[in-house]
Amino acid sequence: MTGDWWFRHDDETVVWTGRPRLSAALGGGVVGVATVAVALLAAAAVDPRIAAASPLGVGIAGWELLRVTRTDYVVTTRAIWSKRGVLGRTVRRVGLAQVQNTAYSQSVTGSAFGYGTVTVEVAGGPDLELRRIDDPQAVRRSITDRIGTADREPPGTVEQWRAVLSVVRDIEAAVD
């Protein structure tokens, strides 16, 4: 992964990188091969000009393969990145401070072969899905281990909080 589509702060390190399994393109590949087969059979049985539809099937299969291979995911100590797109490019960054919840799911075949989807619920935006990735439970854990690490200690110093307490007591006394 080249990293030309995402940036890293000085104190930020990469925790995980991945992409969907190639099996994610299997459905489109089957449709593409079936389209080629039907076009060739129809060309042999009905009209040879129908064979011109064969490139459509090749295009469907190729598009699905490109869609999967041009999708990348990166998890750093500060954010989750997603890049996808064949002709264009869509890059999304979700800061770990925006992550509200995470979940992972695996189908029957995903459980058998070790892949699944990690869903990241984002505050103020659409959820982010890392689809058909290897070992989704470990990826989810690497994200949840980092959520709120900056929020574990209260902000400010003890003196600042004492000053806040003093102001609150003054307001309370004025209200009474």
Side-chain angles (χ1 to χ4, degrees):
M1 188 168 310
T2 63
D4 63 342
W5 57 273
W6 65 281
F7 63 88
R8 179 181 357 189
H9 294 280
D10 291 337
D11 62 339
E12 190 172 14
T13 58
V14 174
V15 175
W16 176 83
T17 62
R19 66 172 27 142
R21 284 185 163 208
L22 284 177
S23 64
L26 189 60
V30 168
V31 169
V33 169
T35 302
V36 170
V38 167
L40 293 177
L41 288 173
V46 179
D47 185 355
R49 292 178 290 183
I50 297 175
S54 296
L56 176 65
V58 173
I60 291 170
W63 181 269
E64 285 298 308
L65 184 62
L66 282 173
R67 188 181 58 79
V68 170
T69 58
R70 296 199 30 105
T71 299
D72 291 305
Y73 306 119
V74 176
V75 176
T76 70
T77 52
R78 296 177 90 179
I80 305 165
W81 291 85
S82 169
K83 177 191 70 99
R84 61 183 174 80
V86 176
L87 298 178
R89 180 186 289 184
T90 301
V91 176
R92 182 161 179 218
R93 178 189 187 274
V94 174
L96 292 180
Q98 295 174 285
V99 174
Q100 292 194 329
N101 196 13
T102 60
Y104 79 95
S105 60
Q106 290 181 291
S107 63
V108 173
T109 55
S111 295
F113 297 110
Y115 67 87
T117 298
V118 173
T119 303
V120 179
E121 294 178 14
V122 180
D127 293 349
L128 177 66
E129 286 188 337
L130 311 179
R131 294 187 182 124
R132 293 183 72 102
I133 58 172
D134 290 325
D135 200 3
Q137 188 174 8
V139 174
R140 178 182 176 257
R141 192 175 320 110
S142 71
I143 295 169
T144 57
D145 288 349
R146 284 159 184 80
I147 295 175
T149 54
D151 299 332
R152 290 191 181 156
E153 294 184 21
T157 64
V158 173
E159 293 80 27
Q160 290 172 327
W161 282 107
R162 285 189 179 137
V164 170
L165 179 61
S166 174
V167 170
V168 169
R169 286 184 177 156
D170 291 343
I171 293 171
E172 182 182 36
V175 171
D176 286 339

